[in-house]
Amino acid sequence: MTQVADELRDIIKGTIDGLIGFVDTEVVPLEQHYREILSNERRLFGDDGRLVPEIREARDGVRRKSAKAGYWAAFGPESIGGGGLPAPVSVYLLEAVYRKYGAGRLMIGFSNGFLTSPLLGGFVDGPSHMFANANETIKADIVPSLLAGEKTTCFGATEPDAGSDLWNLKTKARKVGDEWVINGTKQWITNSPYADYAVVFAVTDEEKYAKRNMFDSGITTFIVDTKLPGVDTNTIFPIMGHVSSDCGNVIMEDVKVKDDYILGNIGQGLMTAMAGISEGRLAIAGAMLGLAEWALDKSLAYAKERKTFGRALADHQAIQWMLADSAIEIFNMKYATLRTAELVHQYPTTGRLPIKEISIAKAYAVEACQAICDRAIQIHGAMGLSSEMGLEEAFRIARTLRIPDGTGEMQRRTIAGQLLRGDTVF
Ligand SMILES: Cc1cc2nc3c(=O)[nH]c(=O)nc-3n(C[C@H](O)[C@H](O)[C@H](O)COP(=O)(O)OP(=O)(O)OC[C@H]3O[C@@H](n4cnc5c(N)ncnc54)[C@H](O)[C@@H]3O)c2cc1C
């Protein structure tokens, strides 16, 4: 443990034990009940690409119970009633649950973990740190239902022509009287098929936007009720190896939103977006750490048990090297992720935002996790490819996560930018 994590030892242990106990008593029986549907994606999704009603209800029920038990909003800021978990605790929590349940259980939005995905809200669906900027109307009208897990959000930044490059947004909001009229299309938006509210980033000041200043971007953040006239969330995209997914479009045509539903300051929306994305990057790193450990645990068990040429696989040097390579990467992942979480935790006192470290942790964790899952599949031979083991799914998840919340190339761009600005402290 790092020094900060050592100080937080009791909170870490209590939170992990509590959440694992919650999954075992509240979620596992439900998964058993719906096993037939959950294990067959053709039955899991309807023709419209959405989860079938009984699974949606079960999933909503898990979210509400998780909220009551104090987990769903655990990552949310205390200023709005969230749990305000310190970043190192969040990382340990994600590591622990992903290590225990692995693929097929807790994979937010990308897998069969449809009953366990609503355990912990993040910036793509729940009361995240972005809401620390909420005004009194948003705090009164929207935040309580998010904290209770009654309603969910989605995060609408990406567009057909603006993914890595958010300086090419076409979504615009124009002020007419006391309302804003929003037009544009957001694409690849996690949870958009189910979200009650979309957190939408729209250009409100073309002149400022053209200057490309992150802090004063000319982009404003709106909370858009997805039931408003002009909002269409019907398109859902199947993603790598799945019949459907949680990702879709948010299309807005002359959608009218009141001033009160602006999150944060007008024209400073990119900072709100970055607050959400940074939280997501660290969460991904924590989850990938746990998933990689889960894959190594499985590999070790199989290597000891399976025999070839009269010996356990574990006795062959080629297998030992694969195990050792995975251990090297896990150790590095763990240090990078925890050290970054510690720097995030210390930010209020140091004033140093660990921009390059967040990018290093996210990029390294997903790439290492993919390599570790690949080795785990290799060690398991044909069994590794079978969907029964969950390893091929873990591989797909890690591969998928190299794209959202900033691709590997964008993380490297950020890291290099920081280095060239003189941030060379490690
Ligand atoms: C599963 C999933 C969930 C997602 N969820 C959300 C969500 O909830 N909300 C949301 O707003 N978005 C979401 N996204 C979108 C995601 O953020 C974008 O896909 C991502 O930012 C990359 O944008 P793009 O797909 O348009 O690729 P592009 O930006 O078109 O990039 C294509 C390729 O070129 C590389 N590239 C681009 N520019 C450069 C450069 N300057 N130098 C070197 N290489 C470069 C990229 O790294 C990438 O490899 C999600 C995506 C996925 C796959």
Side-chain angles (χ1 to χ4, degrees), residues 138 156-157 159 166-167 169 171-175 180 182 186 198-206 208-209 214-224 252 257-273:
I138 294 174
E159 300 182 0
L166 287 179
W167 294 111
L169 293 181
T171 299
K172 298 197 185 350
R174 181 167 57 83
K175 187 88 190 268
W180 292 84
I182 309 179
K186 298 296 178 179
V199 179
V200 167
F201 300 89
V203 177
T204 48
D205 185 329
E206 302 269 5
K208 279 191 179 162
Y209 187 60
M214 282 262 312
F215 302 97
D216 195 15
S217 55
I219 298 172
T220 299
T221 314
F222 295 89
I223 311 277
V224 177
M252 290 159 291
V257 176
K258 299 261 186 232
D259 257 338
D260 283 346
Y261 294 97
I262 287 178
L263 187 59
N265 294 329
I266 294 178
Q268 294 178 2
L270 204 50
M271 292 312 290
T272 309

Side-chain angles (χ1 to χ4, degrees), residues 72-73 75-77 80 82 121-122 125-129 131 143 146-147 153 279:
W72 166 251
F75 295 169
I80 59 156
D125 54 9
S128 71
H129 279 90
F131 284 89
V143 168
L146 300 182
L147 290 171
T153 60
E279 190 179 324

Side-chain angles (χ1 to χ4, degrees), residues 31 35 68 117 212 265 297 310 334 338 343 390 426:
E31 284 187 331
R35 199 175 44 216
K68 251 194 194 134
S117 63
R212 299 180 171 225
N265 294 329
D297 290 342
K334 186 153 186 166
L338 288 173
L343 292 171
F426 290 98

Side-chain angles (χ1 to χ4, degrees), residues 356 413-424:
K356 80 171 179 314
R413 191 170 179 265
T414 302
I415 296 161
Q418 285 299 111
L419 292 174
L420 294 167
R421 259 176 233 118
D423 175 4
T424 52

